[in-house]
Amino acid sequence: QVQLEESGGGLVQAGGSLRLSCAASVRTFKRYAMGWFRQVPGEERTFVAGMSWSGANKAYADSVRGRFIISRDSAKNTVDLQMNTLSPEDTAVYYCAASRLEYATSRENYHFWGQGTQVTVSS
C-alpha cells in the first residue's frame, strides 16, 4: 500500500505561483511512477503532470505545459508540482497519485491517490 499526502494548496492571485508537495509513505518509492491530477466540481478528474519512476520521462497536459513543473526527490519520498503563471482556470482540487507502472499518464493506470488539496486562483 502507498499512502499519499498533499500539501501546499491555497489561494493565490492570477499570475502568481504555488508549489504543491506530496509525501509518499512507502519504502519502494523509486518503483512508482508519480502524477498530479486535478478536478473541478461536476467534472472528471484530469491528468496534469506525470513522471516515470526514474525521472527520465515527464508529461504535461497541454493546458499547463510551460507553466507547471513536476519533480521528485526519491531520498525524501516526495513529488512536487511547481505551478507558475496561474490563472482562474487552474482552480481545482489537486490530487497526487502513484502508479505501479514505470510510467503512466492515464487516470486508470494510477493505483493510489491522496486526499487532494484545494488550489484557488482569483482574478
Side-chain angles (χ1 to χ4, degrees), residues 52-84:
S52 62
W53 63 25
S54 68
N57 296 302
K58 297 180 183 181
Y60 297 93
D62 289 343
S63 58
V64 308
R65 187 176 294 111
R67 300 187 298 122
F68 290 14
I69 301 172
I70 187 171
S71 61
R72 65 189 293 165
D73 187 333
S74 293
K76 297 180 179 179
N77 282 14
T78 59
V79 59
D80 291 353
L81 185 68
Q82 177 65 41
M83 306 186 295
N84 302 317

Side-chain angles (χ1 to χ4, degrees), residues 8 11-20 67 82-86:
L11 174 65
V12 64
Q13 288 188 330
S17 298
L18 274 178
R19 188 177 184 90
L20 305 182
R67 300 187 298 122
Q82 177 65 41
M83 306 186 295
N84 302 317
T85 319
L86 286 161

Side-chain angles (χ1 to χ4, degrees), residues 33-35 37 47 49-52 59 99 101-107 109-110:
M34 300 298 297
F37 290 74
F47 174 79
M51 190 169 187
S52 62
S99 170
L101 303 177
E102 178 182 1
Y103 184 47
T105 59
S106 300
R107 185 180 60 185
N109 288 328
Y110 279 84

Side-chain angles (χ1 to χ4, degrees), residues 21-47:
S21 186
C22 173
S25 61
V26 61
R27 290 194 300 175
T28 56
F29 179 71
K30 292 181 181 180
R31 297 182 185 176
Y32 291 85
M34 300 298 297
W36 287 93
F37 290 74
R38 66 187 182 187
Q39 188 170 21
V40 175
E43 298 184 9
E44 291 189 351
R45 193 172 299 185
T46 59
F47 174 79

